[in-house]
Protein backbone atom coordinates (compact mmCIF):
# COMPACT_ATOMS: atom_id res chain seq x y z
CA UNK A 1 0.00 0.00 0.00
CA UNK A 2 1.16 3.51 -0.80
CA UNK A 3 2.34 5.72 2.03
CA UNK A 4 0.65 8.66 0.33
CA UNK A 5 -3.00 9.23 1.27
CA UNK A 6 -5.57 9.00 -1.51
CA UNK A 7 -6.13 12.78 -1.50
CA UNK A 8 -2.45 13.35 -2.32
CA UNK A 9 -2.30 10.61 -4.93
CA UNK A 10 -5.25 12.18 -6.75
CA UNK A 11 -4.17 15.81 -6.47
CA UNK A 12 -4.50 17.13 -10.06
CA UNK A 13 -1.47 18.57 -11.82
CA UNK A 14 -3.30 20.17 -14.77
CA UNK A 15 -6.18 22.62 -14.95
CA UNK A 16 -8.17 20.23 -17.15
CA UNK A 17 -8.16 17.67 -14.32
CA UNK A 18 -9.26 20.18 -11.67
CA UNK A 19 -12.76 19.48 -10.35
CA UNK A 20 -15.13 22.24 -9.23
CA UNK A 21 -14.93 26.06 -9.20
CA UNK A 22 -16.28 26.36 -12.74
CA UNK A 23 -17.15 30.00 -12.02
CA UNK A 24 -13.39 30.64 -11.76
CA UNK A 25 -11.65 28.09 -13.97
CA UNK A 26 -14.37 26.90 -16.35
CA UNK A 27 -14.19 27.79 -20.02
CA UNK A 28 -14.08 31.57 -20.39
CA UNK A 29 -14.08 32.18 -16.62
CA UNK A 30 -11.96 34.95 -15.14
CA UNK A 31 -9.13 32.87 -13.67
CA UNK A 32 -9.01 30.51 -16.63
CA UNK A 33 -8.49 33.50 -18.94
CA UNK A 34 -5.72 34.85 -16.70
CA UNK A 35 -3.91 31.51 -16.69
CA UNK A 36 -4.15 31.18 -20.48
CA UNK A 37 -2.92 34.73 -21.05
CA UNK A 38 -0.06 34.37 -18.57
CA UNK A 39 -1.13 37.55 -16.75
CA UNK A 40 -1.55 36.23 -13.23
CA UNK A 41 -2.40 38.82 -10.57
CA UNK A 42 -1.55 38.47 -6.94
CA UNK A 43 -4.62 36.90 -5.39
CA UNK A 44 -6.35 35.66 -2.27
CA UNK A 45 -8.18 32.35 -2.61
CA UNK A 46 -10.97 32.41 -0.03
CA UNK A 47 -13.04 29.34 0.69
CA UNK A 48 -13.74 26.46 3.07
CA UNK A 49 -11.31 23.54 3.52
CA UNK A 50 -10.92 20.93 0.84
CA UNK A 51 -12.14 22.93 -2.15
CA UNK A 52 -8.80 23.09 -3.99
CA UNK A 53 -7.03 26.29 -2.92
CA UNK A 54 -3.57 24.73 -2.59
CA UNK A 55 -4.09 22.58 -5.68
CA UNK A 56 -5.10 25.58 -7.76
CA UNK A 57 -1.99 27.51 -6.68
CA UNK A 58 0.21 24.57 -7.70
CA UNK A 59 -1.55 24.25 -11.06
CA UNK A 60 -1.14 27.97 -11.80
CA UNK A 61 2.59 27.68 -11.12
CA UNK A 62 2.95 24.55 -13.25
CA UNK A 63 0.91 25.96 -16.16
CA UNK A 64 3.05 29.11 -16.17
CA UNK A 65 6.33 27.26 -15.52
CA UNK A 66 7.14 29.63 -12.69
CA UNK A 67 9.28 29.09 -9.63
CA UNK A 68 7.00 28.16 -6.76
CA UNK A 69 7.68 28.89 -3.10
CA UNK A 70 5.33 28.00 -0.30
CA UNK A 71 5.12 29.19 3.29
CA UNK A 72 2.71 28.25 6.04
CA UNK A 73 1.52 31.03 8.28
CA UNK A 74 1.63 28.60 11.19
CA UNK A 75 5.40 28.13 11.20
CA UNK A 76 6.79 30.99 9.09
CA UNK A 77 7.66 34.44 10.37
CA UNK A 78 8.99 37.68 8.90
CA UNK A 79 12.48 36.14 8.67
CA UNK A 80 11.26 33.28 6.47
CA UNK A 81 9.23 35.67 4.31
CA UNK A 82 12.24 37.91 3.67
CA UNK A 83 14.53 34.95 2.96
CA UNK A 84 12.06 33.62 0.40
CA UNK A 85 11.71 37.03 -1.26
CA UNK A 86 15.51 37.36 -1.44
CA UNK A 87 15.70 33.91 -3.04
CA UNK A 88 13.08 34.90 -5.61
CA UNK A 89 15.07 38.05 -6.42
CA UNK A 90 18.30 36.11 -6.96
CA UNK A 91 16.59 33.67 -9.29
CA UNK A 92 15.03 36.33 -11.50
CA UNK A 93 16.26 36.17 -15.08
CA UNK A 94 15.78 38.44 -18.07
CA UNK A 95 12.16 38.29 -19.31
CA UNK A 96 11.43 35.34 -17.01
CA UNK A 97 8.08 35.49 -15.18
CA UNK A 98 8.33 36.27 -11.50
CA UNK A 99 8.06 33.54 -8.90
CA UNK A 100 4.83 32.58 -7.16
CA UNK A 101 4.80 32.70 -3.38
CA UNK A 102 1.97 30.63 -1.93
CA UNK A 103 1.02 31.30 1.70
CA UNK A 104 -1.40 28.87 3.26
CA UNK A 105 -3.65 30.21 6.03
CA UNK A 106 -2.58 33.78 5.33
CA UNK A 107 -5.22 34.98 7.80
CA UNK A 108 -2.88 33.75 10.56
CA UNK A 109 -0.14 36.16 9.46
CA UNK A 110 0.27 39.13 11.80
CA UNK A 111 0.18 42.71 10.49
CA UNK A 112 3.99 42.81 10.60
CA UNK A 113 4.27 39.60 8.62
CA UNK A 114 1.79 40.87 6.03
CA UNK A 115 3.61 44.22 5.84
CA UNK A 116 6.79 42.35 4.92
CA UNK A 117 5.10 41.16 1.71
CA UNK A 118 4.02 44.57 0.44
CA UNK A 119 7.21 45.73 -1.27
CA UNK A 120 7.79 42.47 -3.13
CA UNK A 121 4.19 42.32 -4.34
CA UNK A 122 4.19 45.99 -5.40
CA UNK A 123 7.52 45.70 -7.24
CA UNK A 124 6.55 42.46 -8.97
CA UNK A 125 9.32 40.42 -7.36
CA UNK A 126 6.70 37.79 -6.53
CA UNK A 127 3.12 37.00 -7.43
CA UNK A 128 1.41 36.31 -4.12
CA UNK A 129 -1.24 33.62 -3.81
CA UNK A 130 -2.73 33.50 -0.33
CA UNK A 131 -5.19 30.86 0.83
CA UNK A 132 -7.65 31.53 3.64
CA UNK A 133 -10.78 30.11 5.17
CA UNK A 134 -11.49 33.48 6.80
CA UNK A 135 -13.03 36.62 5.30
CA UNK A 136 -9.99 38.49 3.92
CA UNK A 137 -11.73 41.82 4.51
CA UNK A 138 -11.17 41.24 8.23
CA UNK A 139 -7.98 39.19 8.22
CA UNK A 140 -5.78 40.74 5.49
CA UNK A 141 -4.43 44.27 5.89
CA UNK A 142 -5.92 46.83 3.50
CA UNK A 143 -2.66 47.76 1.66
CA UNK A 144 -2.04 44.10 0.83
CA UNK A 145 -5.68 43.35 0.03
CA UNK A 146 -5.83 46.30 -2.38
CA UNK A 147 -2.94 44.74 -4.37
CA UNK A 148 -4.68 41.37 -4.69
CA UNK A 149 -7.67 39.98 -6.51
CA UNK A 150 -9.97 38.04 -4.19
CA UNK A 151 -11.43 34.85 -5.65
CA UNK A 152 -14.13 33.02 -3.70
CA UNK A 153 -14.00 29.22 -3.90
CA UNK A 154 -17.18 27.32 -3.14
CA UNK A 155 -17.91 23.96 -1.53
CA UNK A 156 -18.07 21.25 -4.15
CA UNK A 157 -21.45 20.39 -5.65
CA UNK A 158 -22.80 16.83 -5.55
CA UNK A 159 -21.95 16.49 -9.25
CA UNK A 160 -18.35 17.49 -8.47
CA UNK A 161 -18.13 14.98 -5.63
CA UNK A 162 -19.58 12.28 -7.88
CA UNK A 163 -16.98 13.03 -10.54
CA UNK A 164 -14.21 12.95 -7.93
CA UNK A 165 -15.38 9.60 -6.53
CA UNK A 166 -15.53 8.09 -10.01
CA UNK A 167 -12.01 9.31 -10.72
CA UNK A 168 -10.73 7.85 -7.45
CA UNK A 169 -12.22 4.43 -8.17
CA UNK A 170 -11.13 4.26 -11.80
CA UNK A 171 -7.80 6.10 -11.96
CA UNK A 172 -6.10 5.74 -8.59
CA UNK A 173 -3.22 3.30 -8.81
CA UNK A 174 -4.50 1.27 -5.83
CA UNK A 175 -8.30 1.57 -5.87
CA UNK A 176 -8.68 0.71 -9.55
CA UNK A 177 -7.31 -2.78 -8.88
CA UNK A 178 -9.80 -3.53 -6.09
CA UNK A 179 -13.27 -5.03 -6.48
CA UNK A 180 -15.30 -2.08 -5.18
CA UNK A 181 -19.07 -2.01 -5.48
CA UNK A 182 -20.78 1.34 -4.85
CA UNK A 183 -24.38 0.71 -3.85
CA UNK A 184 -25.15 4.11 -2.32
CA UNK A 185 -23.32 7.43 -2.23
CA UNK A 186 -25.55 9.68 -0.12
CA UNK A 187 -23.70 9.14 3.19
CA UNK A 188 -20.33 9.64 1.51
CA UNK A 189 -21.43 12.96 0.11
CA UNK A 190 -23.27 14.05 3.25
CA UNK A 191 -20.28 13.47 5.51
CA UNK A 192 -18.01 15.14 2.95
CA UNK A 193 -19.92 18.42 3.14
CA UNK A 194 -18.58 19.68 -0.19
CA UNK A 195 -14.96 19.00 0.88
CA UNK A 196 -12.95 17.03 -1.70
CA UNK A 197 -10.22 16.00 0.73
CA UNK A 198 -12.81 14.82 3.24
CA UNK A 199 -14.56 12.72 0.59
CA UNK A 200 -11.31 11.01 -0.39
CA UNK A 201 -10.31 10.45 3.25
CA UNK A 202 -13.67 8.85 4.01
CA UNK A 203 -13.48 6.69 0.89
CA UNK A 204 -10.02 5.51 1.90
CA UNK A 205 -11.16 4.68 5.44
CA UNK A 206 -14.19 2.73 4.19
CA UNK A 207 -12.08 0.80 1.67
CA UNK A 208 -9.28 0.02 4.13
CA UNK A 209 -11.82 -1.27 6.66
CA UNK A 210 -12.81 -3.95 4.14
CA UNK A 211 -9.46 -4.47 2.42
CA UNK A 212 -9.34 -8.23 3.16
CA UNK A 213 -12.77 -8.92 1.67
CA UNK A 214 -13.16 -10.22 -1.91
CA UNK A 215 -15.72 -7.49 -2.57
CA UNK A 216 -15.61 -4.05 -0.98
CA UNK A 217 -19.08 -2.55 -0.62
CA UNK A 218 -19.87 1.13 -0.18
CA UNK A 219 -23.36 1.95 1.05
CA UNK A 220 -24.88 4.40 3.53
CA UNK A 221 -25.04 2.00 6.48
CA UNK A 222 -21.45 0.85 6.09
CA UNK A 223 -20.11 4.39 5.70
CA UNK A 224 -21.89 5.52 8.87
CA UNK A 225 -20.85 2.53 10.98
CA UNK A 226 -17.22 2.56 9.81
CA UNK A 227 -16.87 6.29 10.41
CA UNK A 228 -18.17 5.92 13.95
CA UNK A 229 -15.49 3.31 14.62
CA UNK A 230 -12.74 5.37 12.98
CA UNK A 231 -13.59 8.86 14.17
CA UNK A 232 -10.01 9.66 15.17
CA UNK A 233 -8.74 8.56 11.76
CA UNK A 234 -11.46 10.57 10.10
CA UNK A 235 -10.18 13.68 11.85
CA UNK A 236 -6.47 13.01 11.39
CA UNK A 237 -6.13 16.00 9.04
CA UNK A 238 -8.34 18.26 11.17
CA UNK A 239 -11.32 17.76 8.87
CA UNK A 240 -13.81 17.94 11.76
CA UNK A 241 -12.62 21.44 12.66
CA UNK A 242 -15.62 23.03 10.97
CA UNK A 243 -18.04 20.37 12.18
CA UNK A 244 -17.06 21.09 15.78
CA UNK A 245 -17.25 24.86 15.43
CA UNK A 246 -20.68 24.37 13.84
CA UNK A 247 -21.82 22.28 16.83
CA UNK A 248 -20.36 24.92 19.15
CA UNK A 249 -22.22 27.83 17.56
CA UNK A 250 -25.48 25.86 17.25
CA UNK A 251 -25.28 24.98 20.96
CA UNK A 252 -24.96 28.68 21.84
CA UNK A 253 -27.80 29.55 19.46
CA UNK A 254 -29.88 26.75 20.98
CA UNK A 255 -29.32 28.16 24.51
CA UNK A 256 -27.55 25.05 25.85
CA UNK A 257 -24.54 26.14 27.95
CA UNK A 258 -23.63 22.51 28.63
CA UNK A 259 -23.37 21.60 24.96
CA UNK A 260 -21.57 24.85 24.20
CA UNK A 261 -18.94 24.44 26.91
CA UNK A 262 -18.39 20.79 25.87
CA UNK A 263 -17.59 21.79 22.27
CA UNK A 264 -15.42 24.61 23.63
CA UNK A 265 -13.46 21.98 25.58
CA UNK A 266 -13.12 19.85 22.43
CA UNK A 267 -11.62 22.79 20.56
CA UNK A 268 -9.27 23.76 23.37
CA UNK A 269 -8.14 20.16 23.84
CA UNK A 270 -7.53 19.90 20.09
CA UNK A 271 -5.25 22.96 20.11
CA UNK A 272 -7.66 25.31 18.34
CA UNK A 273 -6.50 28.93 17.98
CA UNK A 274 -8.19 30.79 20.85
CA UNK A 275 -8.48 33.91 18.68
CA UNK A 276 -10.51 31.87 16.19
CA UNK A 277 -12.87 30.85 19.02
CA UNK A 278 -13.14 34.42 20.31
CA UNK A 279 -13.96 35.77 16.85
CA UNK A 280 -16.78 33.24 16.55
CA UNK A 281 -18.13 34.36 19.91
CA UNK A 282 -18.27 37.96 18.71
CA UNK A 283 -20.15 36.87 15.59
CA UNK A 284 -22.59 34.79 17.65
CA UNK A 285 -23.15 37.66 20.07
CA UNK A 286 -24.37 39.88 17.23
CA UNK A 287 -26.01 37.31 14.96
CA UNK A 288 -27.82 35.10 17.48
CA UNK A 289 -28.26 37.25 20.61
CA UNK A 290 -28.15 40.72 19.18
CA UNK A 291 -30.59 43.25 20.55
CA UNK A 292 -32.18 40.78 22.96
CA UNK A 293 -29.09 41.37 25.12
CA UNK A 294 -26.71 44.04 23.78
CA UNK A 295 -24.32 43.32 26.67
CA UNK A 296 -23.45 40.05 24.95
CA UNK A 297 -21.43 41.88 22.30
CA UNK A 298 -19.66 43.91 24.99
CA UNK A 299 -18.66 40.76 26.84
CA UNK A 300 -17.58 38.97 23.64
CA UNK A 301 -15.43 41.95 22.65
CA UNK A 302 -13.93 42.11 26.15
CA UNK A 303 -13.23 38.37 25.92
CA UNK A 304 -11.30 38.85 22.69
CA UNK A 305 -9.19 41.57 24.31
CA UNK A 306 -8.67 39.60 27.53
CA UNK A 307 -7.35 36.41 25.95
CA UNK A 308 -4.62 38.49 24.29
CA UNK A 309 -3.55 39.83 27.66
CA UNK A 310 -3.80 36.54 29.56
CA UNK A 311 -3.03 33.74 27.11
CA UNK A 312 -3.40 30.03 27.72
CA UNK A 313 -4.07 28.12 29.88
CA UNK A 314 -6.00 30.75 31.89
CA UNK A 315 -7.72 32.07 28.75
CA UNK A 316 -9.88 28.92 28.84
CA UNK A 317 -11.66 30.36 31.91
CA UNK A 318 -12.39 33.65 30.15
CA UNK A 319 -13.70 31.82 27.10
CA UNK A 320 -15.85 29.58 29.28
CA UNK A 321 -17.39 32.55 31.08
CA UNK A 322 -18.31 34.17 27.78
CA UNK A 323 -19.65 30.92 26.27
CA UNK A 324 -21.90 30.18 29.25
CA UNK A 325 -23.17 33.78 29.27
CA UNK A 326 -23.95 33.79 25.54
CA UNK A 327 -25.66 30.40 25.63
CA UNK A 328 -27.77 31.47 28.64
CA UNK A 329 -28.79 34.81 27.11
CA UNK A 330 -32.13 35.51 25.38
CA UNK A 331 -31.83 35.23 21.62
CA UNK A 332 -32.69 37.49 18.69
CA UNK A 333 -31.50 37.55 15.09
CA UNK A 334 -33.39 40.74 14.22
CA UNK A 335 -30.24 42.74 13.40
CA UNK A 336 -28.97 39.86 11.22
CA UNK A 337 -32.32 39.69 9.42
CA UNK A 338 -32.49 43.49 9.04
CA UNK A 339 -29.20 43.80 7.18
CA UNK A 340 -29.95 40.75 5.02
CA UNK A 341 -33.33 42.21 4.10
CA UNK A 342 -31.76 45.57 3.28
CA UNK A 343 -28.99 43.98 1.17
CA UNK A 344 -31.54 41.96 -0.79
CA UNK A 345 -33.56 45.12 -1.45
CA UNK A 346 -30.41 46.93 -2.61
CA UNK A 347 -29.70 44.09 -5.07
CA UNK A 348 -33.24 44.28 -6.42
CA UNK A 349 -33.58 48.07 -6.61
CA UNK A 350 -30.03 49.17 -7.45
CA UNK A 351 -28.60 52.61 -6.74
CA UNK A 352 -31.67 54.61 -5.82
CA UNK A 353 -30.99 58.36 -5.51
CA UNK A 354 -30.46 59.88 -2.08
CA UNK A 355 -33.36 62.26 -1.26
CA UNK A 356 -32.31 65.89 -1.72
CA UNK A 357 -32.93 66.88 1.90
CA UNK A 358 -30.47 64.19 3.08
CA UNK A 359 -27.65 65.19 0.77
CA UNK A 360 -24.60 67.11 1.89
CA UNK A 361 -24.25 70.64 0.51
CA UNK A 362 -20.60 71.75 0.78
CA UNK A 363 -20.74 74.10 -2.24
CA UNK A 364 -22.91 77.05 -3.21
CA UNK A 365 -24.10 75.26 -6.35
CA UNK A 366 -25.29 72.30 -4.34
CA UNK A 367 -27.24 74.59 -2.04
CA UNK A 368 -28.82 76.26 -5.07
CA UNK A 369 -29.85 72.84 -6.34
CA UNK A 370 -31.70 72.21 -3.09
CA UNK A 371 -29.27 69.83 -1.43
CA UNK A 372 -30.14 69.61 2.27
CA UNK A 373 -32.66 72.44 2.09
CA UNK A 374 -35.64 70.65 3.67
CA UNK A 375 -33.72 68.59 6.19
CA UNK A 376 -35.10 68.84 9.73
CA UNK A 377 -32.50 68.76 12.51
CA UNK A 378 -33.93 66.29 15.03
CA UNK A 379 -32.45 68.01 18.09
CA UNK A 380 -34.47 71.13 17.35
CA UNK A 381 -37.73 69.29 18.10
CA UNK A 382 -39.42 67.99 21.24
CA UNK A 383 -38.08 64.62 22.26
CA UNK A 384 -35.29 65.03 19.69
CA UNK A 385 -37.58 63.53 17.05
CA UNK A 386 -39.45 64.77 14.00
CA UNK A 387 -40.97 62.61 11.30
CA UNK A 388 -39.33 62.87 7.90
CA UNK A 389 -38.22 60.58 5.08
CA UNK A 390 -34.90 58.74 5.43
CA UNK A 391 -35.38 56.27 2.59
CA UNK A 392 -35.51 56.80 -1.17
CA UNK A 393 -39.06 57.63 -2.22
CA UNK A 394 -39.34 54.26 -3.98
CA UNK A 395 -38.92 52.50 -0.61
CA UNK A 396 -41.09 54.78 1.52
CA UNK A 397 -42.63 52.84 4.38
CA UNK A 398 -40.46 49.75 3.80
CA UNK A 399 -39.44 48.26 7.17
CA UNK A 400 -36.24 46.23 7.26
CA UNK A 401 -35.94 45.89 11.03
CA UNK A 402 -38.64 43.91 12.83
CA UNK A 403 -38.27 43.81 16.64
CA UNK A 404 -38.57 40.33 18.09
CA UNK A 405 -40.42 39.24 21.21
CA UNK A 406 -38.00 39.74 24.08
CA UNK A 407 -37.75 42.23 26.93
CA UNK A 408 -35.16 44.49 25.33
CA UNK A 409 -36.79 44.63 21.89
CA UNK A 410 -40.28 45.01 23.29
CA UNK A 411 -39.00 48.27 24.76
CA UNK A 412 -37.53 49.20 21.36
CA UNK A 413 -40.80 48.32 19.65
CA UNK A 414 -42.78 50.59 21.96
CA UNK A 415 -40.43 53.48 21.26
CA UNK A 416 -40.50 52.91 17.50
CA UNK A 417 -44.28 52.62 17.57
CA UNK A 418 -44.50 55.99 19.26
CA UNK A 419 -42.28 57.53 16.58
CA UNK A 420 -42.99 55.57 13.42
CA UNK A 421 -46.24 53.65 13.71
CA UNK A 422 -47.86 55.60 10.86
CA UNK A 423 -44.86 55.11 8.59
CA UNK A 424 -43.64 51.57 9.34
CA UNK A 425 -46.56 49.99 11.18
CA UNK A 426 -44.78 49.26 14.44
Amino acid sequence: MSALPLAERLRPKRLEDYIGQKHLVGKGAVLQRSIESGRIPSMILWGPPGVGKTTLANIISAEQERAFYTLSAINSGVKEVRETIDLAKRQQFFNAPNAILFIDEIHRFSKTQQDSLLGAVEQGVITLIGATTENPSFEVISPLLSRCQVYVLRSLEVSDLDELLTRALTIDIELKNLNIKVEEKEALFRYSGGDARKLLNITEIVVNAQIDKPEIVINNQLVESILQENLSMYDKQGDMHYDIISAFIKSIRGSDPNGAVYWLARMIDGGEDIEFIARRLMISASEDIGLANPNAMLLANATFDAIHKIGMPEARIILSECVVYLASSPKSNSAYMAINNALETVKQTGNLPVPLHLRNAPTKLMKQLGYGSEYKYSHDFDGHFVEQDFLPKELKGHAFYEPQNNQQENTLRARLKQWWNKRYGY
Side-chain angles (χ1 to χ4, degrees), residues 177-223:
N177 296 318
L178 299 175
N179 183 18
I180 299 174
K181 182 180 179 182
V182 180
E183 295 178 344
E184 296 171 311
K185 306 174 183 176
E186 290 81 8
L188 272 180
F189 295 163
R190 183 173 71 251
Y191 279 104
S192 300
D195 182 325
R197 184 173 59 248
K198 188 180 285 189
L199 172 65
L200 296 175
N201 286 347
I202 296 171
T203 301
E204 193 167 32
I205 290 170
V206 172
V207 168
N208 288 340
Q210 306 175 72
I211 199 67
D212 295 329
K213 296 181 179 179
E215 182 180 70
I216 296 170
V217 176
I218 296 177
N219 59 39
N220 295 340
Q221 184 179 356
L222 273 169
V223 168

Side-chain angles (χ1 to χ4, degrees), residues 338-352 391-392 395 398 400:
I339 187 59
N340 286 350
N341 291 338
L343 285 169
E344 185 60 32
T345 299
V346 169
K347 288 180 182 177
Q348 293 173 1
T349 58
N351 297 321
L352 297 176
L391 283 170
L395 298 177
H398 192 114
F400 299 105

Side-chain angles (χ1 to χ4, degrees), residues 401 403-416:
Y401 168 61
Q404 295 180 1
N405 186 20
N406 55 72
Q407 184 176 355
Q408 290 283 345
E409 288 190 278
N410 285 336
T411 301
L412 293 181
R413 182 188 292 276
R415 188 180 303 135
L416 291 170

Side-chain angles (χ1 to χ4, degrees), residues 63 113 156 174 263 309 326:
E63 296 269 347
Q113 290 169 310
L156 270 62
E174 293 184 10
W263 294 115
K309 298 171 184 174
L326 297 189

Side-chain angles (χ1 to χ4, degrees), residues 218-230:
I218 296 177
N219 59 39
N220 295 340
Q221 184 179 356
L222 273 169
V223 168
E224 291 172 359
S225 63
I226 290 171
L227 283 185
Q228 289 301 316
E229 295 171 6
N230 293 273

Side-chain angles (χ1 to χ4, degrees), residues 26-224:
K27 187 175 181 180
V30 56
L31 201 45
Q32 189 263 351
R33 294 198 307 270
S34 292
I35 294 170
E36 282 194 348
S37 69
R39 294 188 293 272
I40 307 297
S42 287
M43 66 184 77
I44 304 294
L45 302 177
W46 172 27
V51 295
K53 298 186 291 293
T54 302
T55 298
L56 186 54
N58 277 283
I59 288 174
I60 290 172
S61 173
E63 296 269 347
Q64 297 298 312
E65 297 182 344
R66 297 194 188 196
F68 187 75
Y69 304 102
T70 181
L71 294 173
S72 171
I74 295 176
N75 50 31
S76 301
V78 173
K79 177 176 176 287
E80 288 76 18
V81 171
R82 288 176 176 162
E83 287 175 350
T84 304
I85 291 171
D86 287 341
L87 183 60
K89 281 181 181 177
R90 291 197 300 271
Q91 294 191 357
Q92 277 186 318
F93 299 103
F94 183 70
N95 283 338
N98 58 0
I100 288 176
L101 173 58
F102 175 69
I103 299 181
D104 195 17
E105 297 190 88
I106 194 171
H107 59 275
R108 292 180 181 266
F109 258 25
S110 67
K111 181 181 183 300
T112 303
Q113 290 169 310
Q114 293 185 38
D115 279 337
S116 67
L117 296 164
L118 281 174
V121 172
E122 196 168 47
Q123 296 161 22
V125 175
I126 58 166
T127 293
L128 172 68
I129 301 181
T132 179
T133 56
E134 303 292 318
N135 188 330
S137 299
F138 302 134
E139 307 299 337
V140 179
I141 60 173
S142 296
L144 185 58
L145 192 61
S146 67
R147 291 164 173 80
C148 297
Q149 295 289 326
V150 176
Y151 296 117
V152 180
L153 281 72
R154 303 167 183 165
S155 297
L156 270 62
E157 304 285 345
V158 170
S159 59
D160 298 325
L161 295 172
D162 197 32
E163 182 183 352
L164 182 60
L165 178 63
T166 300
R167 180 177 294 179
L169 299 179
T170 58
I171 294 177
D172 178 64
I173 191 170
E174 293 184 10
L175 298 191
K176 70 179 182 179
N177 296 318
L178 299 175
N179 183 18
I180 299 174
K181 182 180 179 182
V182 180
E183 295 178 344
E184 296 171 311
K185 306 174 183 176
E186 290 81 8
L188 272 180
F189 295 163
R190 183 173 71 251
Y191 279 104
S192 300
D195 182 325
R197 184 173 59 248
K198 188 180 285 189
L199 172 65
L200 296 175
N201 286 347
I202 296 171
T203 301
E204 193 167 32
I205 290 170
V206 172
V207 168
N208 288 340
Q210 306 175 72
I211 199 67
D212 295 329
K213 296 181 179 179
E215 182 180 70
I216 296 170
V217 176
I218 296 177
N219 59 39
N220 295 340
Q221 184 179 356
L222 273 169
V223 168
E224 291 172 359

Side-chain angles (χ1 to χ4, degrees), residues 239-274:
D239 286 333
M240 288 190 71
H241 164 89
Y242 282 87
D243 294 337
I244 290 177
I245 194 68
S246 175
F248 175 60
I249 293 301
K250 286 173 180 173
S251 299
I252 294 175
R253 183 181 298 141
S255 300
D256 184 357
N258 300 298
V261 82
Y262 167 77
W263 294 115
L264 172 66
R266 284 283 298 273
M267 288 188 288
I268 290 173
D269 184 65
E272 181 59 80
D273 180 4
I274 59 174

